[in-house]
Amino acid sequence: MEQITTGIVIVAGGSGRRMGSEIPKQFLFLGGEPILVRTINRMAEALPGAPIVVVLPDEQQAFWKNLSARFEVAPHTLASGGKERFDSVKSGLDTLFALGEGVELVAIHDGVRPLASVEMIRRCCDCAATKGSAIPAIAVTDSFRRLTNEEGGSEIVDRSQLRAVQTPQVFDAHLLRRAYRQPFDPAFTDDASVVEQLGERISLCEGERSNLKITTREDITIAEALLEAQNDREDGA
C-alpha cells in the first residue's frame, strides 16, 4: 500500500477530580513516567514521523512544559483545549492542519490511554485508509439492562450487539475536517458520533482490553500491572 501521511491529535484535558488528586490525571505517573509522556511516545512509536498535536487547557500548558522537559518525549505541538471535548478536538485539528504537513488521515487519541499497542494503532490506520474511518472496539462482558418507562422497571439488553468504543479513532482528514465544521451537539460523545452526524458509515476494527482509559485510582493499579506484563513480554522476546 502507498505510504499515507497520518497526523495525530492527542486530547488531554482531564482533571484529577475522579482520582481524588489535585494533579490532572494525564500528569500522574505510570511506571516512572507521566501518563501523557507514555501516550505521546507510544503514538510516535507506532507512526514514526507523524506530526503530533497535544491539546491541553491553557492553564495546564506551563506545568506540562516544565514536567515534560524532565523526560524524553517525542516532538509535539500544543493546542488550547476548549469547554467541550468537541471544542478541544476542533482546536487540535485546526493546529494540525495549520502545520502544513498535508495529512491524509488523522488519528485522535485520549491522552490517558497510554497502553494502546503499536499493532492496534497501525491496524486502525490501515482500516481507515481503505474505509475512511476506523474505531477500535471490544465486545462487552458485563450484563446490561435498559430502564423502561415503568417506575423502577428495566429490561435486559442483548450484549452480543454491544461494543465498547476506544481510541485512537482514525478518519480520512477531509472527512474529519468537514465533520468538525458542524455546530456542537450534546449528542456528540466521541469523534465517531461527530462524523456519523454527516450521514457517514462508521467502520469498527478490533480493539484491545489492555487499551485502558485511566480515570480512577483503581485504573492506575490495573495499568501498572498491565505495563509490567507488557515489559515482561518484551524482555522475553
Side-chain angles (χ1 to χ4, degrees):
M1 179 182 294
E2 183 180 348
Q3 184 67 36
I4 293 178
T5 302
T6 303
I8 300 167
V9 174
I10 297 175
V11 185
S15 68
R17 180 169 45 84
R18 278 185 283 183
M19 286 281 186
S21 169
E22 294 183 359
I23 300 176
K25 56 191 176 184
Q26 59 268 20
F27 302 146
L28 296 177
F29 277 56
L30 174 66
E33 293 181 340
I35 291 170
L36 185 54
V37 167
R38 289 191 172 276
T39 301
I40 294 170
N41 287 346
R42 180 56 57 89
M43 293 298 290
E45 179 186 0
L47 303 170
I52 300 175
V53 172
V54 176
V55 185
L56 282 169
D58 288 338
E59 62 271 19
Q60 295 180 8
Q61 292 192 13
F63 181 90
W64 167 245
K65 289 176 182 178
N66 180 61
L67 177 65
S68 61
R70 297 159 49 194
F71 299 90
E72 291 188 10
V73 57
H76 58 279
T77 301
L78 293 180
S80 296
K83 179 181 178 182
E84 306 287 347
R85 186 182 188 279
F86 175 90
D87 302 312
S88 294
V89 173
K90 188 175 187 301
S91 175
L93 291 174
D94 289 343
T95 300
L96 178 67
F97 293 137
L99 293 176
E101 301 287 348
V103 297
E104 300 166 87
L105 293 176
V106 179
I108 304 177
H109 194 43
D110 292 328
V112 289
R113 287 189 189 269
L115 301 179
S117 73
V118 166
E119 293 75 18
M120 190 204 72
I121 295 166
R122 292 175 178 171
R123 181 166 65 241
C124 291
C125 291
D126 289 343
C127 177
T130 58
K131 298 182 179 180
S133 65
I135 314 301
I138 58 173
V140 300
T141 56
D142 292 329
S143 293
F144 290 84
R145 297 192 69 83
R146 180 189 296 111
L147 299 180
T148 64
N149 292 331
E150 301 174 12
E151 184 177 353
S154 65
E155 59 187 15
I156 191 69
V157 175
D158 181 4
R159 69 183 178 190
S160 69
Q161 301 299 309
L162 300 178
R163 295 294 182 270
V165 170
Q166 303 179 329
T167 69
Q169 299 188 0
V170 189
F171 303 89
D172 172 85
H174 296 292
L175 172 62
L176 198 60
R177 173 176 271 175
R178 187 159 56 93
Y180 272 90
R181 289 187 182 129
Q182 299 177 104
F184 171 71
D185 187 324
F188 294 154
T189 57
D190 63 356
D191 308 295
S193 61
V194 180
V195 171
E196 196 169 36
Q197 184 85 329
L198 293 176
E200 297 287 338
R201 181 177 178 179
I202 300 300
S203 298
L204 300 183
C205 64
E206 185 180 354
E208 297 172 329
R209 298 203 177 278
S210 57
N211 184 20
L212 179 69
K213 184 177 182 180
I214 299 175
T215 56
T216 67
R217 284 288 178 186
E218 290 78 10
D219 292 334
I220 288 279
T221 301
I222 295 169
E224 290 280 5
L226 290 170
L227 181 61
E228 184 177 352
Q230 285 185 4
N231 291 339
D232 286 346
R233 287 196 298 270
E234 291 171 1
D235 291 341

